């Protein structure tokens, strides 16, 4: 809890960056809404099974979730590995995986207040948004967002762990950024893809769990057991990826050599 609180306070200090980021989210959100609603209107139907109002909600909640889930631009651990400072992390009583995960959850909590509310409120004021019709959607969405944040963190942590072998992680970070941007649903709803591709992504990769599933839950693209199953799939991916983090970190620590004893 103390580490999560420290993460919250740390990211609360960057107020100007938060304001600039919210402004960027609103601008890009307006452009995405224009494109997606034009697609819906031109098709005269429900592209991907979404109504126009659901697409509007998809965009504005998505813009707010970008910094909550935070799928990019984290190499703090990799930098500490390259500098040798990771040795002090390993000497502390709290495992580095636990410590970094707790701090990241604190960051996500700060982003919920600082980055999610404004885009959603902007969408409510200036657009016709879809509001969840079922009370169960709200707790399911909260669990889904938490699971998405954990999946994102585990993926970023694994990329950073590659520094134990590569030292320079710019390549893995670029590959991760490219993959997560296209395959998570942050660029466009994955429901626009052919059904076979959706099945491959949902069952074979963790990427939809970072963005698409929370947004599908928010707009009630599915209902009942299907929505619960999607959230359970997220939790399964989060568990599997944290388990992989534990295994890779153990191998990385065995590889670590501290010069001078």
């Amino acid at each position: 809890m103390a580490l999560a609180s420290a993460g919250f306070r740390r990211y609360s200090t960057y107020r100007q960056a938060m304001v600039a980021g919210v402004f960027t989210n609103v601008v890009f959100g307006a452009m995405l809404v224009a494109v997606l609603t034009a697609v819906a209107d031109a098709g005269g139907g429900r592209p991907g099974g979404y109504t126009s109002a659901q697409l509007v909600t998809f965009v504005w909640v998505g813009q707010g979730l970008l910094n909550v889930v935070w799928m990019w631009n984290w190499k703090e651990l990799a930098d500490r590995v390259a500098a040798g400072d990771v040795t002090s992390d390993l000497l502390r009583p709290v495992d580095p995986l636990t410590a970094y995960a707790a701090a990241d959850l604190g960051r996500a909590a700060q982003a919920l207040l600082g980055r999610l509310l404004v885009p959603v409120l902007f969408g409510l004021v200036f657009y016709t948004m879809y509001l969840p019709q079922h009370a169960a959607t709200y707790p399911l969405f909260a669990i889904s967002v938490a699971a998405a944040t954990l999946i994102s963190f585990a993926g970023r942590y694994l990329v950073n762990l590659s520094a134990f072998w590569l030292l320079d992680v710019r390549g893995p970070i670029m590959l991760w950024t490219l993959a997560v941007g296209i395959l998570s649903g942050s660029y466009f709803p994955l429901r626009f893809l052919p059904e076979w591709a959706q099945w491959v992504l949902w069952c074979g990769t963790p990427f939809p769990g970072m963005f698409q599933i929370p947004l599908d839950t928010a707009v009630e693209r599915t209902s009942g057991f299907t929505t619960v199953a999607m959230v359970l799939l997220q939790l399964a991916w989060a568990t599997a990826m944290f388990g992989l983090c534990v295994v890779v970190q153990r191998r990385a620590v065995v590889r670590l050599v501290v010069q001078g004893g």
Side-chain angles (χ1 to χ4, degrees):
M1 184 60 72
L3 291 171
S5 299
F8 185 98
R9 292 194 303 271
R10 174 185 176 185
Y11 287 92
S12 297
T13 60
Y14 303 111
R15 297 182 181 88
Q16 291 181 334
M18 183 183 69
V19 172
V22 168
F23 177 78
T24 302
N25 291 143
V26 170
V27 171
F28 275 94
M31 292 190 292
L32 284 172
V33 167
V35 171
L36 292 181
T37 53
V39 170
D41 294 340
R46 295 163 59 103
Y50 301 101
T51 65
S52 292
Q54 285 176 317
L55 287 173
V56 171
T57 300
F58 189 100
V59 169
W60 288 117
V61 175
Q63 287 299 303
L65 283 182
L66 282 173
N67 267 66
V68 176
V69 178
W70 201 24
M71 299 174 284
W72 309 285
N73 299 331
W74 186 74
K75 61 186 187 76
E76 183 176 339
L77 176 61
D79 288 341
R80 293 182 66 80
V81 172
D85 296 332
V86 70
T87 54
S88 62
D89 294 336
L90 296 171
L91 292 173
R92 290 169 181 160
V94 180
D95 182 81
L97 176 59
T98 303
Y100 280 109
D104 195 68
L105 289 175
R107 174 208 56 78
Q110 189 277 331
L112 278 171
L113 300 176
R115 299 295 293 269
L116 176 62
L117 292 180
V118 174
V120 172
L121 290 175
F122 185 89
L124 286 171
V125 172
F126 294 101
Y127 295 87
T128 301
M129 291 179 62
Y130 176 88
L131 299 178
Q133 305 298 306
H134 306 285
T137 298
Y138 295 94
L140 279 174
F141 176 68
I143 296 171
S144 183
V145 170
T149 304
L150 292 174
I151 294 172
S152 172
F153 168 78
R156 288 182 278 117
Y157 196 83
L158 285 169
V159 171
N160 276 251
L161 285 175
S162 68
F164 280 95
W165 288 267
L166 303 176
L167 289 184
D168 188 344
V169 297
R170 285 177 292 180
I173 286 177
M174 289 179 63
L175 289 175
W176 169 262
T177 301
L178 179 64
V180 79
I182 296 173
L183 304 179
S184 68
S186 63
Y187 291 168
F188 61 88
L190 297 180
R191 299 282 184 181
F192 289 0
L193 296 174
E195 188 171 344
W196 65 267
Q198 294 181 39
W199 276 102
V200 170
L201 288 176
W202 256 265
C203 299
T205 75
F207 299 114
M210 285 184 266
F211 208 73
Q212 180 73 37
I213 293 178
L215 295 179
D216 274 353
T217 302
V219 302
E220 296 179 335
R221 171 58 178 75
T222 56
S223 60
F225 176 77
T226 304
T227 302
V228 174
M230 289 196 306
V231 175
L232 290 175
L233 178 63
Q234 280 183 285
L235 295 173
W237 272 115
T239 302
M241 291 185 69
F242 266 83
L244 184 59
C245 285
V246 171
V247 173
V248 175
Q249 181 173 281
R250 285 176 180 169
R251 293 181 63 88
V253 170
V254 170
R255 183 180 178 81
L256 180 66
V257 175
V258 181
Q259 298 297 330

